[in-house]
């Protein structure tokens, strides 16, 4: 990898101790890392790039940003049903960031890697006159043929989600002063959901271990938009039940304040929950964190939602699109 | 992977046709790609991030930038002795770039992937208000235990390089108007060496296939700085012979104009030639592109160079540092 002015020292000081836990990294001291696949396993690989003030708020703490960079990628590994094993980080730090910021970022990144038991295989550290950016490539392992795909949904399946939806978008609204619930606990909860995604690795790995047909993806861009990607990949449609969509107490408080917040819950991104489709009996085996929210139909790309009044509407990428009849 | 506004369409239109050649990519339609390691092989993985006007000139053509992004990473794969198999590209396009630019970038990137027989496993496409950046993660395969490491040099070895040194730095000087050789052919040659690195994949794979002890790295930051990385990793020193350092006709023309250009040849980066250490007989088997330039000594981190007058000097990161005696 290209070592640029100052990079070598930064890597040695802050990232080498993180990478030393991983045999693959060659302690960041060679041109490339080397890793071996476990027998009868495949490697899944995913990549997400995050840019300051586009994908995260530049004023957020380096610790929160570091964890988010790691976790949004681990969420993709979870969506494949794989176990994360390592990451490669390309970090472009704005050249005016103080070294303290980079130290805090590296420390938090290392701690989160340790918490998720993933190695830092290598990377590149550069300086940029523009906004900071972080591009992470993450690796996971999965027994051959077991990966959860988007194209596995079939008519008659149920569709389900992990956790609760909409919290992250509502958290961002709180941070931006667009939502005030007059309740510090609700605010803390929602902001933390925005800052600190919880990749659903256990649910993904459990689904893959069933060795049954389960379709999965992670909801990064919002339920309304992302469900259409499964619809397209599987050539199916959906009927969702609004009253089944799982909400946190804090999101419910926002809804109670103004039902307009349903748009955030249906179309807001950044939750990093999993969307899963399969036989009802298989989905039921995924545990209490998984909630069925509707069914899979044989109407390609038709995504309908039955609202609280029993009225059917089309769920467009932006949210509700009530029929004009 | 996170699909952001407009990204999905861009990927579908320009990158999906590239990725379709690779089974691993899942045609960029899932959360992650899946790949399998060949039996008895390991995977090498490397990552380089390039930022406009830091690592390439923003005014360079999108075709040249695309190829450079790919090739600087393939050079790291070459330095490990591995065969490249695939790449993951995180592209952050400045938001004011016209779509034509992105089309040209994608087309050239795809063509170069095809030329080097590497698949596009996946990636992420984002928009940035700052300078464009490209972060590539590249994968190569190598028979288990055969990777060329930096720590394998031993006293008594010879040290050698592929190709010729200094051309890329002199090419950048031409582009920036700091060097004028009054010869269009020399200018074209040097500029192309700056724009279009030639990863030394054949030499690297040949060295690995010898199954002998060979240390290697690619020269991205200049001979003077990079040779110290092998010195540190292998705990050895070097004595180089200035008159053995291979020069192109164009670099020789620059030297003839002004010997000060030796600094570019010794300390300038971006050549992406390989630096190799091993038994003389093994290095000799790497073919006519490889030139011995000195010997490995048992003096840790002492890098000396014998100049054209037979005088010994220390080769510091910046180039010559003549002894004051």
């Amino acid at each position: 990898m290209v070592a640029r002015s100052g990079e070598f020292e930064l890597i040695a000081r802050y990232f080498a101790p993180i990478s030393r836990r991983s045999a693959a990294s060659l302690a960041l001291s060679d041109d490339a890392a080397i890793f071996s696949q476990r027998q009868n396993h495949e490697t899944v690989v995913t990549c997400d790039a995050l840019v300051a003030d586009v994908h995260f708020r530049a004023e957020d703490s380096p610790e929160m940003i570091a964890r988010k960079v790691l976790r949004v990628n681990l969420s993709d590994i979870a969506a494949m049903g794989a176990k994360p094993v390592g990451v490669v980080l390309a970090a472009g730090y704005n050249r005016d960031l103080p070294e303290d910021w980079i130290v805090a970022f590296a420390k938090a990144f290392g701690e989160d890697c340790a918490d998720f038991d993933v190695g830092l295989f290598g990377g590149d550290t550069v300086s940029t006159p523009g906004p900071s950016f972080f591009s992470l490539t993450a690796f996971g392992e999965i027994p051959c043929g077991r990966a959860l795909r988007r194209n596995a949904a079939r008519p008659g399946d149920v569709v389900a989600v992990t956790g609760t939806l909409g919290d992250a978008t509502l958290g961002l609204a709180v941070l931006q002063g667009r939502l005030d619930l007059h309740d510090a606990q609700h605010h803390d909860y929602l902001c933390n959901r925005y800052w600190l995604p919880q990749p659903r690795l256990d649910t993904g790995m459990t689904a893959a271990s069933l060795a049954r047909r389960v379709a999965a993806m992670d909801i990064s861009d919002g339920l309304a938009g992302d469900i259409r990607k499964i619809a397209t990949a599987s050539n199916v449609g959906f009927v969702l039940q609004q009253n089944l969509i799982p909400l946190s107490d804090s999101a419910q408080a926002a809804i109670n304040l103004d039902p307009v917040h349903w748009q955030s819950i249906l179309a807001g991104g950044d939750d990093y929950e999993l969307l899963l489709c399969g036989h009802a009996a298989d989905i039921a085996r995924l545990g209490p964190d998984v909630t069925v929210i509707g069914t899979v139909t044989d109407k390609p790309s038709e995504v309908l939602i039955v609202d609280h009044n029993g009225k059917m509407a089309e769920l467009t990428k932006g949210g509700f699109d009530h029929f004009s009849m």
Side-chain angles (χ1 to χ4, degrees), chain A residues 22 65 68-69 81 84 150 168 205 246 309:
Chain A
S22 164
I65 295 168
K68 188 159 192 167
V69 166
R150 293 183 183 179
M205 285 189 274
N309 304 315

Side-chain angles (χ1 to χ4, degrees), chain A residues 149-160 212-216 230 234 236-240 276-283 292-298:
Chain A
R149 301 283 308 278
R150 293 183 183 179
N151 63 4
R154 298 288 175 267
D157 282 353
V158 297
V159 52
R212 306 275 297 173
R213 180 182 53 73
V214 174
I230 289 203
S234 296
V236 297
F238 291 93
V239 177
L240 308 181
L276 300 141
C277 303
H279 282 299
D282 295 331
I283 298 298
V292 170
I293 61 169
T295 54
V296 179
T297 73
D298 60 359

Side-chain angles (χ1 to χ4, degrees), chain A residues 204-229:
Chain A
M205 285 189 274
T206 301
S209 72
L210 294 179
R212 306 275 297 173
R213 180 182 53 73
V214 174
M217 73 177 292
D218 73 328
I219 306 176
S220 50
D221 288 344
L223 174 67
D226 285 339
I227 200 168
R228 290 191 172 272
K229 294 172 191 161

Side-chain angles (χ1 to χ4, degrees), chain A residues 181-201:
Chain A
L181 294 174
H182 307 288
D183 181 314
Q185 267 185 304
H186 285 323
H187 285 184
D188 285 352
Y189 178 84
L190 294 173
C191 294
N192 270 300
R193 288 276 287 163
Y194 168 77
W195 279 322
L196 215 54
Q198 303 291 340
R200 291 291 186 170
L201 292 159

Side-chain angles (χ1 to χ4, degrees), chain A residues 89-134:
Chain A
L89 173 68
Y93 299 101
N94 175 270
R95 62 184 172 197
D96 297 326
L97 281 178
E99 192 170 308
D100 281 359
W101 198 100
I102 298 174
V103 174
F105 181 97
K107 190 163 172 288
F109 190 83
E111 286 168 358
D112 228 31
C113 283
D115 285 351
F116 285 101
D117 197 21
V118 300
L120 176 61
F121 286 177
D124 196 11
T125 302
V126 300
S127 174
T128 172
S132 297
F133 65 85
F134 302 98

Side-chain angles (χ1 to χ4, degrees), chain A residues 18-195:
Chain A
I18 302 173
S19 74
R20 253 177 233 127
R21 284 198 310 273
S22 164
S25 70
L26 307 181
L28 303 186
S29 64
D30 228 297
D31 290 274
I34 306 174
F35 73 92
S36 284
Q37 225 164 42
R38 265 174 73 188
Q39 202 145 24
N40 305 319
H41 281 66
E42 294 173 305
T43 300
V44 306
V45 53
T46 184
C47 171
D48 266 333
L50 288 83
V51 179
D53 285 334
V54 179
H55 309 109
F56 60 87
R57 295 159 13 110
E59 69 262 42
D60 285 343
S61 74
E63 290 85 356
M64 287 297 185
I65 295 168
R67 292 186 162 90
K68 188 159 192 167
V69 166
L70 178 66
R71 291 169 179 222
V72 301
N73 278 279
L74 297 188
S75 178
D76 284 318
I77 300 291
M80 301 300 282
K83 180 184 184 306
V85 293
V87 297
V88 171
L89 173 68
Y93 299 101
N94 175 270
R95 62 184 172 197
D96 297 326
L97 281 178
E99 192 170 308
D100 281 359
W101 198 100
I102 298 174
V103 174
F105 181 97
K107 190 163 172 288
F109 190 83
E111 286 168 358
D112 228 31
C113 283
D115 285 351
F116 285 101
D117 197 21
V118 300
L120 176 61
F121 286 177
D124 196 11
T125 302
V126 300
S127 174
T128 172
S132 297
F133 65 85
F134 302 98
S135 168
L136 198 84
T137 304
F139 305 89
E141 63 177 22
I142 186 152
C144 290
R146 290 280 176 85
L148 307 176
R149 301 283 308 278
R150 293 183 183 179
N151 63 4
R154 298 288 175 267
D157 282 353
V158 297
V159 52
V161 295
T162 55
T164 57
L165 299 189
D167 299 324
T169 297
L170 294 170
L172 181 59
V174 169
L175 286 169
Q176 293 176 337
R178 295 184 284 106
L179 174 63
D180 189 350
L181 294 174
H182 307 288
D183 181 314
Q185 267 185 304
H186 285 323
H187 285 184
D188 285 352
Y189 178 84
L190 294 173
C191 294
N192 270 300
R193 288 276 287 163
Y194 168 77
W195 279 322

